[in-house]
Amino acid sequence: MRRQLFHKPVRLNQYLLLRRNASTSSVITELNSRGLVAQTTSQNLEKLCNEQPITVYCGVDPSARSLHIGNLLPLITLLHFGVRGHKPIALIGGATGSIGDPGGRATERKLLSQEELAVNEDGITRQVHRFFKTATAYAEERRPQSTSGAQSPTVVNNITWFREMGMLEFLRTVGKHAKVNTMLSRDSVSSRLNASQGISFTEFTYQLLQAHDYYTLNKEYGCRLQIGGSDQWGNIVAGIDMIQRRRAATSSPEAVDHAESTKPEDEVFGLTIPLLTTPSGEKFGKSAGNAVWLDSELTSVYDFYQYFIRQPDTMVRQLLSMFTLLSQEKIHATMAEHEVDPSKRLAQRALAREVTELVHGKDAVRQAEAVTSVLFDSDVGHLMSEDVVAAFANDPRLVRLPSREEGLGVPLTKLLAKNGRVKSRSEAERVLKTGGMYLNSSRVTDPKRLLTEEDLVGNDHKIAVVRMGSDNHTVIILP
């Protein structure tokens, strides 16, 4: 017995909310102004969104236990729809994730075990719920005039409708309406056909699974818009085609081989978001070749914050538009102030604060800025030790001493070696002799230099920062 899904129609109060918020801006106009639209399948989409609330979805496959920055733009786009009264759906690809999307890859994906998939699905499902809770709170502060009735997303998993679907049922209900010549023409497939490794039948059928997702969400939830990265264009169009062909087949069995003209009230749409790259051509969201994760256990809040601090001037205006809900007027003012003295990186700091709050919340911003102050600012007198401890949670750079006696009057080289920050005192002494050791921004020249009361900084005088080289920091906290 297939598990029954329940249609969740858009209600009248959502329509009234949409009309009340229409004076701010159309969601499509807003997305275009922020550079969040690469393509749409029809010019009718903007008119539809202006006239009535619609249900919109985007999907994410559980290929890892956490989402990363590359997943943020589709989620932010979904947020734009939700805060304007449209109904968002976030789809977790428990089924599609077990297959693997061939898009954007020259080689076959490694299949995940069922155990790995289960862990990833659980982690990403919780992360999606957490993101929209945090992001909605962020949106309510930035755009209060348009978020009075923000719609929380429905989170679904496509394993729900694929788990009990057998091969014969799939071929009869999905495969019957798919044309192989069209499937072969998709970029994600054609690029692999020309590669040495080719493409497996497993990954070749991925677009059919995603197409069936859209069909199911349209049938059961009234979903009329799918959004995704621009590399998803072929899969999105496949879903629209699947919906049209199966509707036509239902209304007229003879119409299986062609899609009849679609009535305006039945039209379904696709919208893609540009894929961002850095000035060097690298996919945006990588740091030293590694993904920047949304899970703070995989990428610390500080490292997440610093990723945006490090963005070049040539990209920061675009990133402020795409990754934040700041108004265009506020972005223009921020950039004007930044351009007076770009070395202060005011725009990058604004970007880092906004995106960190969007993803991790206000407390995380305070913690990330505390870490930044400790590591890079000469004046840390305003910081409290408990904020520093919270900011450096699970960070090996933090050394918490159990008593003041274990720190005061002890040589710095011994402190570093005893607490595992260097392999030995002699290593620390070598760095010191080459002029590479600093205590609270002051160079240390004496190998016997002791930590004293006068060295403790911060609002409560419990902090000392030792730096070796350009970026090897140790933050010492005394009780």
Side-chain angles (χ1 to χ4, degrees), residues 365-395:
V365 175
R366 190 180 72 251
Q367 292 171 11
E369 291 182 333
V371 174
T372 303
S373 292
V374 167
L375 300 185
F376 301 110
D377 293 349
S378 57
D379 181 14
V380 295
H382 61 288
L383 293 175
M384 295 292 291
S385 59
E386 57 261 35
D387 286 338
V388 175
V389 170
F392 280 93
N394 303 315
D395 192 313

Side-chain angles (χ1 to χ4, degrees), residues 302-326:
Y302 165 74
D303 288 329
F304 183 91
Y305 177 91
Q306 283 295 316
Y307 177 79
F308 289 95
I309 288 284
R310 292 193 298 270
Q311 294 308 308
D313 289 343
T314 54
M315 287 194 70
V316 69
R317 182 189 292 272
Q318 178 187 18
L319 298 178
L320 281 167
S321 284
M322 298 179 83
F323 281 89
T324 81
L325 296 189
L326 293 176

Side-chain angles (χ1 to χ4, degrees), residues 120-227:
N120 294 352
E121 286 178 48
D122 180 63
I124 288 178
T125 300
R126 286 187 284 106
Q127 197 168 59
V128 166
H129 282 292
R130 185 166 59 249
F131 169 80
F132 279 100
K133 180 179 179 180
T134 304
T136 300
Y138 166 86
E140 287 171 350
E141 290 205 357
R142 299 308 184 279
R143 308 298 292 269
Q145 75 278 13
S146 62
T147 58
S148 57
Q151 297 295 308
S152 298
T154 299
V155 180
V156 298
N157 191 322
N158 61 10
I159 198 66
T160 303
W161 48 86
F162 279 115
R163 180 183 287 118
E164 297 178 12
M165 178 181 276
M167 173 64 80
L168 292 179
E169 183 182 1
F170 179 78
L171 292 175
R172 289 178 62 86
T173 59
V174 180
K176 181 67 175 176
H177 304 284
K179 302 305 173 187
V180 172
N181 56 331
T182 303
M183 294 175 67
L184 289 170
S185 70
R186 306 291 185 208
D187 288 342
S188 60
V189 173
S190 61
S191 62
R192 290 281 292 278
L193 289 175
N194 297 324
S196 59
Q197 291 193 11
I199 185 171
S200 69
F201 177 75
T202 297
E203 288 197 352
F204 178 63
T205 61
Y206 182 93
Q207 60 182 283
L208 295 184
L209 272 67
Q210 186 167 329
H212 185 61
D213 286 342
Y214 197 178
Y215 171 82
T216 301
L217 293 176
N218 173 258
K219 180 182 178 183
E220 305 295 345
Y221 291 86
C223 181
R224 298 184 65 182
L225 173 63
Q226 181 183 175
I227 62 176

